[in-house]
Amino acid sequence: MAGHSKWKNIQRRKNAQDAKRGKIFMKLAKEIFVAAKQGGGDPDTNASLRLVIDKAKANNMPNDNIERAIKKATGDLDGVNYEEMTYEGYGPGGVAVMVSALTDNKNRTAAEIRHAFNKNGGNLGENGCVSFMFDRKGYLVIPKDSTDLDEDDLMLEVIEAGAEEMETTDEGYEIFTEPEEFTNVKEQLQEKGFTFSVAELTMIPQTTSPLSGDDVHKMLQLIDVLEDNEDVQEVYHNLEADEEVMNQM
């Protein structure tokens, strides 16, 4: 995967933003709602729902919240209907940006996202304008302190489970899979006793866009504004910035 050697830089920024989201339970409830609406409310037969529930539990979402979202989707409780939307555009310096949203009002969400781009040095484009720059992948991270296996032995386990490749970082082992193999790889590794600090389907940029100076600040502001929107589930981008500059920001 060309360009994913810079993924750690991008992912670290994303994780820092996730940690400060005050609306994360609402976003997770929407994801659970859509997964249950599309594939049924039983996580044993709905892999997408099972994945979102795992994500919700990893974020300490109460079981009552999870069950309420499922019941709304299956008609046991009254609730609104959410529609999945994807928005694409460019941030400062031409950084590619994709925004995944769940909304009950497309006009409102589109207007808010367009305003966020315009106000922070970017511009919203047409669907397809940047999506070709990203690959959808399963992404798992095994923390180094959670396993006694050395890199070579772990690599064999990962390959045997069906993963595409593995990279070693200072913090852990990053595992990449094809989307359709993600759940199978995750479950096989869990059965062998491995735990994950990250386990998600995501969009990984094929190449990155280096930024410096004020453009980095503007781009981070754009990400903050987008992620703070209650309809936005994920923001994907290909920003590459010096780590020292990122830490200062």
Side-chain angles (χ1 to χ4, degrees), residues 70-78:
I70 293 173
K71 287 179 178 179
K72 284 183 178 180
T74 55
D76 294 329
L77 291 175
D78 292 333

Side-chain angles (χ1 to χ4, degrees), residues 179-193:
E180 58 272 14
E181 292 295 325
F182 173 73
T183 299
N184 183 52
V185 171
K186 177 173 177 283
E187 291 179 350
Q188 283 199 44
L189 291 175
Q190 282 178 322
E191 288 173 2
K192 294 180 178 180

Side-chain angles (χ1 to χ4, degrees), residues 56-229:
K57 289 182 176 179
N59 282 278
N60 300 313
M61 187 174 183
N63 286 333
D64 286 348
N65 296 38
I66 294 172
E67 292 171 5
R68 190 179 305 116
I70 293 173
K71 287 179 178 179
K72 284 183 178 180
T74 55
D76 294 329
L77 291 175
D78 292 333
V80 297
N81 285 317
Y82 296 108
E83 187 171 356
E84 294 182 88
M85 302 296 297
T86 300
Y87 304 90
E88 303 179 32
Y90 296 92
V95 172
V97 182
M98 290 182 64
V99 181
S100 173
L102 290 173
T103 179
D104 59 351
N105 187 325
K106 291 190 294 183
N107 292 334
R108 179 198 67 221
T109 304
E112 290 176 351
I113 290 177
R114 185 178 300 279
H115 178 71
F117 273 90
N118 292 342
K119 188 177 180 181
N120 294 282
N123 61 283
L124 190 62
E126 299 293 328
N127 282 348
C129 68
V130 300
S131 57
F132 68 92
M133 302 180 190
F134 295 81
D135 293 318
R136 186 160 179 78
K137 296 289 180 181
Y139 179 66
L140 301 155
V141 179
I142 298 175
K144 277 191 173 178
D145 60 6
S146 70
T147 177
D148 294 328
L149 290 182
D150 63 26
E151 183 177 350
D152 291 339
D153 289 338
L154 180 58
M155 175 73 81
L156 291 175
E157 296 280 7
V158 167
I159 292 174
E160 184 179 338
E164 190 175 31
E165 61 180 305
M166 185 186 85
E167 287 197 354
T168 303
T169 70
D170 293 339
E171 294 81 15
Y173 304 98
E174 296 183 325
I175 300 163
F176 299 87
T177 79
E178 290 297 331
E180 58 272 14
E181 292 295 325
F182 173 73
T183 299
N184 183 52
V185 171
K186 177 173 177 283
E187 291 179 350
Q188 283 199 44
L189 291 175
Q190 282 178 322
E191 288 173 2
K192 294 180 178 180
F194 295 106
T195 58
F196 311 105
S197 58
V198 181
E200 62 184 10
L201 287 169
T202 189
M203 300 295 289
I204 296 181
Q206 298 167 359
T207 59
T208 56
S209 293
L211 288 186
S212 59
D214 192 48
D215 279 344
V216 177
H217 180 67
K218 290 178 180 177
M219 183 62 204
L220 297 185
Q221 281 188 319
L222 173 58
I223 296 170
D224 282 344
V225 172
L226 289 171
E227 289 189 334
D228 195 49
N229 187 299

Side-chain angles (χ1 to χ4, degrees), residues 46-56 182-183 186 199-201:
N46 184 343
S48 296
L49 178 60
R50 186 164 67 249
L51 179 61
V52 181
I53 290 175
D54 287 345
K55 181 179 176 182
F182 173 73
T183 299
K186 177 173 177 283
E200 62 184 10
L201 287 169

